[in-house]
């Protein structure tokens, strides 16, 4: 078929038009459409700015520490907190006494970078909004976004320096202490509402925001979430950390009716269930009850995805709850679990924005998380090997 000339093909098509009854032609065309491998293999055509993320851009300062260091600053392994006055010395000690590394960070920004990496081309499928300072760390973040082919539009201001996050690594666990600084200064009126910026929001078809941003600009989240619901687009949220469900419950529950896909890990799921008085610690039941919460856009069923580290990932949708096994990894190959959750979401979003199945999205999430935990920080090789 491929070797025939264009003229010959045209002649044969013309001949077919002459001799084949219309009803049969339509049937043949439909059949060809269904079985053509080319049609099945071609991915949904993506355009720039299809995936939108908004959150706290932070520069990660990673270092391996010991249990005494965690105890000194009242930190728990595998936890995430906001820095207060007592943690000021922690940042100084981390930089002064340990071998530190710098990486572009912030939960949402990480996930958008990972999604773009999984997609590869076109570039700038992922858009990211957040606030940074006009300083050296801000310049590093701009450079990292550019290198990752993400279309970052930062709100830049002079009042606060670019935010940082101390990543305190003990074995295969990590404790995060975020000093939001500039990230805390995001301003809806001064950035999101600007005509050229809102136009980028309108271009997107999938939205993702980590719950950490509820501490900064819940009004910005609501504006984006309502836009998604009104236009039947997909709005995704992450529970982010146990303290969000505990101390920012009201803000979280204002946004929840607009959430089409909710992410979280087992600790976050447990904290959410406790805050909601679900009276269960069973993760499948927590997913089921969360999935059934009131929802604004009735055209879409909510999907709830709870990861459990090396245990299976739970997904609740409609009337079923499924468990998907993660990829097996030798514990000796694990370098750093920081960013594993962000990587999972990034992989998931890379398929969701291409309108692939939810099962395929989970697979991609598991793959990207397995890549990131073998490396230091939320980093990745030049190209993915995901088929």
């Amino acid at each position: 078929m491929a070797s025939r000339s264009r003229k010959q093909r045209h002649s044969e098509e013309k001949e077919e038009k002459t001799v084949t009854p219309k009803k049969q032609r339509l049937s043949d065309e439909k059949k060809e459409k269904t079985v053509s491998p080319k049609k099945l293999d071609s991915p949904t055509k993506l355009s720039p700015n299809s995936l939108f993320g908004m959150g706290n851009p932070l520069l990660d300062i990673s270092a391996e520490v010991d249990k005494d260091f965690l105890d000194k600053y009242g930190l728990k392994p595998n936890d995430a907190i906001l820095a207060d006055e007592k943690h000021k010395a922690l940042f100084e000690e981390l930089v002064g006494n340990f071998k530190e590394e710098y990486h572009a960070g912030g939960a949402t920004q990480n996930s958008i970078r990972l999604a773009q990496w999984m997609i590869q081309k076109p570039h700038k499928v992922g858009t990211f909004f957040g606030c940074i300072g006009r300083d050296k760390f801000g310049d590093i973040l701009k450079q990292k976004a550019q290198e990752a082919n993400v279309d970052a539009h930062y709100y830049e201001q002079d009042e606060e320096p670019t935010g940082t996050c101390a990543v305190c690594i003990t074995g295969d666990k990590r404790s995060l202490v975020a000093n939001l600084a500039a990230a805390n200064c995001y301003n809806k009126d001064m950035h999101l509402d600007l005509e050229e910026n809102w136009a980028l929001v309108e271009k997107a078809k999938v939205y993702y925001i980590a719950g950490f941003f509820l501490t900064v600009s819940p009004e910005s989240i609501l504006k984006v979430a309502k836009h998604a619901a009104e236009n039947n687009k997909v709005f995704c949220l992450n529970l982010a950390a146990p303290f969000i469900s505990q101390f920012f419950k009201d803000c979280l529950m204002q946004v929840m009716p607009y959430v089409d896909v909710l992410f979280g890990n087992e600790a976050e799921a447990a904290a959410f269930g406790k805050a909601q008085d679900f009276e269960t610690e069973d993760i499948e039941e927590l997913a089921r009850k969360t999935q059934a919460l009131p929802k604004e856009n009735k055209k879409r069923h909510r999907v709830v995805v709870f990861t459990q580290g090396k245990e299976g990932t739970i997904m609740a949708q409609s009337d079923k709850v499924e468990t998907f096994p993660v990829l097996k990894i030798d514990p000796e190959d694990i370098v750093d679990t920081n960013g594993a959750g962000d990587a999972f979401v990034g992989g998931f979003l890379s398929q969701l924005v291409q309108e692939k199945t939810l099962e395929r999205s989970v697979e991609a999430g598991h793959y990207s998380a397995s890549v990131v935990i073998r490396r230091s920080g939320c980093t990745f090789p030049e190209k993915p090997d995901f088929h």
Side-chain angles (χ1 to χ4, degrees):
M1 179 94 180
S3 60
R4 297 202 312 274
S5 72
R6 199 177 190 176
K7 195 172 178 183
Q8 193 181 342
R9 284 205 310 273
H10 182 68
S11 165
E12 286 171 9
E13 283 165 11
K14 195 173 176 186
E15 188 182 332
E16 189 187 335
K17 265 182 188 171
T18 314
V19 299
T20 311
K22 187 177 179 185
K23 196 171 180 184
Q24 189 186 330
R25 274 205 327 274
L26 288 171
S27 167
D28 290 346
E29 283 168 13
K30 192 174 179 186
K31 199 173 175 184
E32 189 180 333
K33 214 171 191 178
T34 312
V35 300
S36 164
K38 194 174 178 185
K39 187 79 183 167
L40 288 174
D41 290 344
S42 60
T44 302
K45 189 165 169 50
L46 279 175
S47 55
N49 310 113
S50 297
L51 173 64
F52 176 85
M54 182 167 59
N56 301 329
L58 304 172
L59 192 68
D60 285 351
I61 305 169
S62 304
E64 286 190 29
V65 301
D66 52 28
K67 187 178 179 297
D68 291 343
F69 183 88
L70 295 188
D71 293 343
K72 181 177 177 180
Y73 292 102
L75 306 178
K76 298 174 195 165
N78 274 358
D79 198 9
I81 63 167
L82 294 177
D84 57 31
E85 198 56 39
K86 73 179 177 193
H87 297 114
K88 191 177 177 188
L90 177 150
F91 285 86
E92 292 166 3
E93 191 175 339
L94 207 61
V95 173
N97 298 358
F98 294 90
K99 190 183 172 189
E100 82 281 5
E101 290 183 4
Y102 294 94
H103 300 288
T108 304
Q109 185 167 235
N110 280 343
S111 294
I112 299 298
R113 287 193 304 120
L114 254 298
Q116 182 64 58
W117 172 68
M118 288 284 284
I119 291 164
Q120 290 284 304
K121 285 185 179 175
H123 291 166
K124 298 188 175 181
V125 167
T127 313
F128 178 74
F129 285 7
C131 183
I132 59 174
R134 287 194 179 93
D135 52 28
K136 186 181 78 171
F137 285 171
D139 290 341
I140 292 173
L141 284 181
K142 283 194 279 189
Q143 185 190 333
K144 295 286 183 190
Q146 205 171 349
E147 287 169 4
N149 300 312
V150 169
D151 194 17
H153 291 260
Y154 296 114
Y155 171 50
E156 298 182 49
Q157 48 74 61
D158 296 304
E159 288 171 38
E160 289 282 346
T162 297
T164 51
C165 180
V167 182
C168 308
I169 302 162
T170 50
D172 66 348
K173 297 185 168 55
R174 88 287 179 273
S175 186
L176 308 179
V177 185
N179 179 24
L180 295 184
N184 214 15
C185 300
Y186 188 81
N187 188 306
K188 174 178 168 288
D189 301 338
M190 300 288 285
H191 196 259
L192 185 68
D193 292 346
L194 297 184
E195 195 177 331
E196 63 271 26
N197 289 337
W198 186 250
L200 290 169
V201 176
E202 291 180 322
K203 276 180 82 174
K205 55 184 183 180
V206 174
Y207 303 84
Y208 173 67
I209 299 174
F212 293 119
F213 204 57
L214 286 164
T215 72
V216 174
S217 187
E219 63 279 10
S220 294
I221 300 178
L222 274 170
K223 182 174 182 179
V224 171
K226 285 176 180 177
H227 167 79
E230 285 160 10
N231 294 277
N232 196 27
K233 296 175 180 182
V234 185
F235 181 79
C236 311
L237 187 79
N238 199 314
L239 291 174
F243 80 86
I244 297 293
S245 294
Q246 292 162 344
F247 305 118
F248 293 87
K249 180 183 171 182
D250 291 347
C251 289
L252 177 60
M253 295 319 290
Q254 272 186 297
V255 177
M256 194 58 73
Y258 302 97
V259 177
D260 297 304
V261 183
L262 182 74
F263 298 99
N265 63 25
E266 68 273 43
E268 293 151 11
F272 182 75
K274 198 173 177 185
Q276 297 299 314
D277 298 321
F278 281 166
E279 296 180 350
T280 181
E281 290 180 5
D282 180 78
I283 194 160
E284 290 192 16
E285 195 58 27
L286 288 169
R288 189 178 282 110
K289 288 183 177 245
T290 304
Q291 195 268 338
L293 288 169
K295 193 163 183 303
E296 194 69 28
N297 180 7
K298 303 288 191 289
K299 293 176 185 171
R300 294 183 184 277
H301 288 289
R302 178 179 290 119
V303 177
V304 175
V305 184
F306 288 153
T307 57
Q308 305 181 86
K310 61 186 179 187
E311 303 302 323
T313 294
I314 306 293
M315 182 163 70
Q317 54 167 320
S318 311
D319 55 350
K320 62 180 178 178
V321 179
E322 296 174 275
T323 303
F324 298 85
V326 301
L327 297 169
K328 292 276 180 271
I329 297 175
D330 187 327
E332 288 183 9
D333 291 337
I334 297 173
V335 174
D336 174 7
T337 55
N338 179 39
D342 300 341
F344 173 84
V345 172
F348 191 103
L349 294 173
S350 74
Q351 305 305 297
L352 192 66
V353 77
Q354 295 181 76
E355 297 173 14
K356 300 289 178 69
T357 64
L358 290 167
E359 290 74 17
R360 182 67 172 162
S361 300
V362 171
E363 275 179 34
H366 286 162
Y367 167 76
S368 53
S370 76
V371 170
V372 165
I373 63 175
R374 288 184 170 98
R375 301 164 67 90
S376 180
C378 192
T379 61
F380 34 84
E382 191 183 341
K383 289 189 176 174
D385 184 21
F386 178 69
H387 305 291

